[in-house]
């Protein structure tokens, strides 16, 4: 079966700039004991970027589940996928929440292959992936257009992969949000954190 256009075409536009050195930023990583507790207790494993870091405490409170997290601000999806692949044995039966893609607007071509790597590591368990929204309010018109265009392209790639893998559940953050849910065009405000957690909890069947 041929790949859909979203996975093969090059829709790159200029203006996003370059990704900075995310390795200099401070991650939030649970202890090995907490990762094992989540796996053995069918809790919630969250892997992602600064958005994951901003939302994970509220998510734990909203879900009532034990949560383990590997969240690194600024990190693109490839190294996040590296961690997931290397630690696939920590994924609980409930599956995995991935909050990644915002830092891939700088190089969106072929991003979907990282999504497939995560799905292979999940080995049939659900993967809940939030859609991407980047529109840096402080940027100029060219940058903001590129941010939005690349976000749309990443989301098209995500949905195209979901059509091929039934265990990929796309949670449409980008389609649901409003400006008051954002603090800077990328990261959630206090209201956005609550909305984000609600969207995910409903997608996971944790609330009605």
């Amino acid at each position: 079966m041929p790949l859909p256009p979203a996975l093969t075409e090059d829709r790159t536009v200029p203006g996003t700039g370059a990704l900075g050195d995310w390795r200099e930023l401070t991650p939030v990583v649970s202890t090995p004991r907490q990762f094992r507790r989540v796996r053995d207790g069918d809790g919630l494993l969250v892997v992602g970027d600064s958005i994951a870091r901003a939302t994970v405490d509220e998510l734990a409170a909203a879900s009532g589940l034990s949560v383990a997290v590997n969240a690194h601000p600024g990190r693109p999806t490839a190294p996040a996928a590296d961690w997931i692949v290397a630690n696939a044995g920590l994924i609980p039966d409930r599956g995995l929440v991935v909050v990644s893609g915002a830092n891939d607007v700088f190089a969106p071509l072929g991003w979907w292959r990282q999504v497939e790597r995560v799905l292979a590591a999940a080995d049939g368990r659900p993967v809940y992936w939030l859609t991407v929204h980047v529109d840096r309010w402080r940027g100029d018109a060219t940058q903001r257009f590129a941010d939005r265009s690349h976000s749309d392209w990443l989301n098209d790639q995500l949905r195209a992969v979901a059509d091929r893998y039934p265990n990929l559940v796309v949670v449409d953050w980008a389609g649901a949000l409003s400006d008051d849910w954002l603090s800077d065009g990328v990261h959630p405000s206090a209201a956005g954190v609550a909305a984000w957690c609600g969207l995910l909890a409903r997608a996971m069947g944790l609330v009605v």
Side-chain angles (χ1 to χ4, degrees):
M1 178 183 299
L3 294 174
L7 305 185
T8 57
E9 61 193 3
D10 187 347
R11 290 161 47 181
T12 304
V13 297
T16 53
L19 179 64
D21 189 358
W22 57 271
R23 295 172 184 84
E24 295 182 353
L25 302 175
T26 303
V28 173
V29 182
S30 297
T31 64
R33 180 180 179 184
Q34 182 65 9
F35 281 119
R36 292 192 298 270
R37 180 182 299 167
V38 163
R39 177 198 61 197
D40 297 342
D42 198 22
L44 197 55
L45 175 61
V46 181
V47 179
D49 51 26
S50 57
I51 300 173
R53 181 177 181 178
T55 54
V56 68
D57 289 341
E58 178 71 19
L59 180 61
S63 69
L65 297 172
S66 180
V67 176
V69 62
N70 181 301
H72 201 135
R75 180 175 60 184
T77 303
D82 290 343
W83 186 90
I84 293 168
V85 170
N87 295 278
L90 295 176
I91 300 174
D93 290 343
R94 188 182 304 279
L96 169 69
V97 175
V98 181
V99 190
S100 191
N103 297 300
D104 294 275
V105 295
F106 305 98
L109 182 63
W111 174 76
W112 63 276
R113 297 186 185 279
Q114 303 304 325
V115 180
E116 286 199 328
R117 291 179 64 215
V118 172
L119 291 166
D123 194 24
R125 288 165 290 195
V127 175
Y128 299 88
W129 205 302
L130 283 294
T131 56
V132 175
H133 176 86
V134 177
D135 179 11
R136 288 168 287 177
W137 291 343
R138 65 182 182 180
D140 61 22
T142 298
Q143 183 183 75
R144 294 187 66 181
F145 175 77
D147 283 354
R148 293 191 299 268
S149 295
H150 288 177
S151 295
D152 290 344
W153 182 18
L154 291 166
N155 293 334
D156 287 346
Q157 292 181 55
L158 187 62
R159 293 187 179 95
V161 174
D163 287 340
R164 299 161 65 87
Y165 292 85
N167 61 315
L168 176 56
V169 181
V170 177
V171 183
D172 195 9
W173 164 249
L177 63 80
S178 57
D179 280 353
D180 65 326
W181 288 3
L182 298 171
S183 62
D184 57 3
V186 182
H187 299 93
S189 63
V193 168
W196 188 97
C197 293
L199 283 171
L200 182 56
R202 285 190 291 277
M204 299 187 73
L206 300 175
V207 297
V208 179

